[in-house]
Amino acid sequence: MSDASLTVLFEHPLNEKMRTWLRIEFLLQQLHNQKALSETAIALTFFRTVSDLLDVLERGEVRTELLKELERQQQKLLQWSEVPGVDMHLVNQLRSQLKTRAASLMSAPRMGQALREDRLISLVRQRLSIPGGCCSFDLPTLHMWMHVPQDERDADVAAWLKTLEPLHQALTMVLDLVRQSGQFRNQISLNGFFQDNAEGADLLRLRIGLAYQLYPQISGHKTRYAIRFMPLDSENGVVPERLNFELACC
């Protein structure tokens, strides 16, 4: 099951902090993957994603939680520096990057504020909840913007995304370190069920063979979790009595 092309990777947060971070990562990835707004349909997808991101950022203390995690990761690296034979160059390099990300995030304006104040984004957000509310007669400003030269639209998008860079860089580094903290191990579920302890973990990562056509339903929190494997075809699908899969507790 080590061939990634033959497996499906699932990730499940074990606390609200990680749930929020994964959602923000998901939305940022979409924004960066649809930067060339060459058609109105693509542009509306981009603006819906921006609106979703701003809604998520309104909830909770995202900046505070990320700064705490950046500090926690620095302390973990400090402990690693005391282990004989550790690559100190790599440890110092990572600690320096963490400090840079923290300083950039701390000095940045309120996250998403520049996007909230942008006139075009604000106008589009007001119409997104209305079915068909982004027609040219509803949003002539957007209609006109879609007819300016592509390089001007690209410049606007680049400027919008630049305001999110402190968040993007800090979150990417934090999630990379969290994911690397847990190794995948072979596990077996019996009759589609598996449970274990998750003391101090933030994230579960599962690899399941694509051929099984199964997905996990996971319930859990910071101390314990349970996994129930379900067939994609709810009527005809079969769950093996003994199912091999890979699991990382991060």
Side-chain angles (χ1 to χ4, degrees):
M1 200 184 295
S2 58
D3 189 342
S5 64
L6 300 178
T7 63
V8 182
L9 174 64
F10 294 91
E11 294 187 326
H12 186 83
L14 293 174
N15 52 54
E16 191 59 33
K17 171 188 69 177
M18 182 58 65
R19 191 183 311 276
T20 299
W21 290 352
L22 291 179
R23 285 173 175 162
I24 293 174
E25 179 190 49
F26 175 66
L27 293 169
L28 287 172
Q29 286 173 346
Q30 291 181 63
L31 290 178
H32 282 270
N33 288 336
Q34 57 196 24
K35 293 186 293 187
L37 309 188
S38 56
E39 300 175 5
T40 299
I42 299 173
L44 287 176
T45 300
F46 178 88
F47 287 121
R48 285 192 181 94
T49 306
V50 169
S51 184
D52 286 349
L53 177 61
L54 293 179
D55 287 344
V56 173
L57 292 177
E58 286 286 351
R59 309 169 197 151
E61 297 292 331
V62 176
R63 189 206 303 263
T64 301
E65 292 293 344
L66 276 175
L67 287 171
K68 287 180 181 177
E69 185 63 24
L70 288 166
E71 176 62 28
R72 187 173 78 91
Q73 292 293 341
Q74 288 187 56
Q75 294 304 316
K76 286 177 66 176
L77 287 170
L78 197 59
Q79 294 172 5
W80 272 105
S81 65
E82 300 173 359
V83 177
V86 72
D87 186 343
M88 284 304 301
H89 175 71
L90 178 59
V91 168
N92 291 331
Q93 185 179 53
L94 287 172
R95 288 191 67 204
S96 176
Q97 290 177 5
L98 286 166
K99 290 179 181 178
T100 300
R101 299 288 185 268
S104 177
L105 186 63
M106 188 176 294
S107 62
R110 183 186 176 200
M111 285 186 292
Q113 189 61 28
L115 302 181
R116 292 184 191 92
E117 295 175 352
D118 185 89
R119 182 170 177 269
L120 179 58
I121 291 175
S122 180
L123 288 171
V124 176
R125 287 188 78 197
Q126 292 172 21
R127 308 296 302 183
L128 286 174
S129 62
I130 303 172
C134 295
C135 290
S136 60
F137 60 85
D138 283 310
L139 274 174
T141 306
L142 175 63
H143 186 63
M144 185 64 224
W145 186 74
M146 291 304 302
H147 283 80
V148 303
Q150 180 70 49
D151 59 347
E152 292 185 29
R153 292 200 301 278
D154 290 345
D156 286 339
V157 172
W160 292 332
L161 294 180
K162 186 177 180 180
T163 67
L164 297 170
E165 270 308 287
L167 168 65
H168 188 200
Q169 293 180 0
L171 181 65
T172 298
M173 187 165 191
V174 162
L175 290 178
D176 282 349
L177 290 173
V178 169
R179 287 172 173 132
Q180 292 171 21
S181 69
Q183 290 186 331
F184 280 101
R185 302 182 187 281
N186 293 321
Q187 303 288 357
I188 298 175
S189 79
L190 300 177
N191 297 313
F193 185 75
F194 182 87
Q195 64 179 354
D196 202 354
N197 296 320
E199 190 68 41
D202 292 309
L203 179 69
L204 291 181
R205 309 183 76 210
L206 294 85
R207 284 198 191 123
I208 307 172
L210 181 60
Y212 289 121
Q213 292 289 287
L214 300 173
Y215 64 91
Q217 284 188 342
I218 303 173
S219 59
H221 48 77
K222 61 182 179 180
T223 59
R224 193 162 183 81
Y225 62 90
I227 305 171
R228 175 73 67 182
F229 291 96
M230 308 294 292
L232 184 60
D233 184 342
S234 58
E235 294 184 2
N236 302 309
V238 176
V239 180
E241 182 177 337
R242 294 174 62 87
L243 171 66
N244 296 302
F245 67 101
E246 291 178 293
L247 177 68
C249 196
C250 307

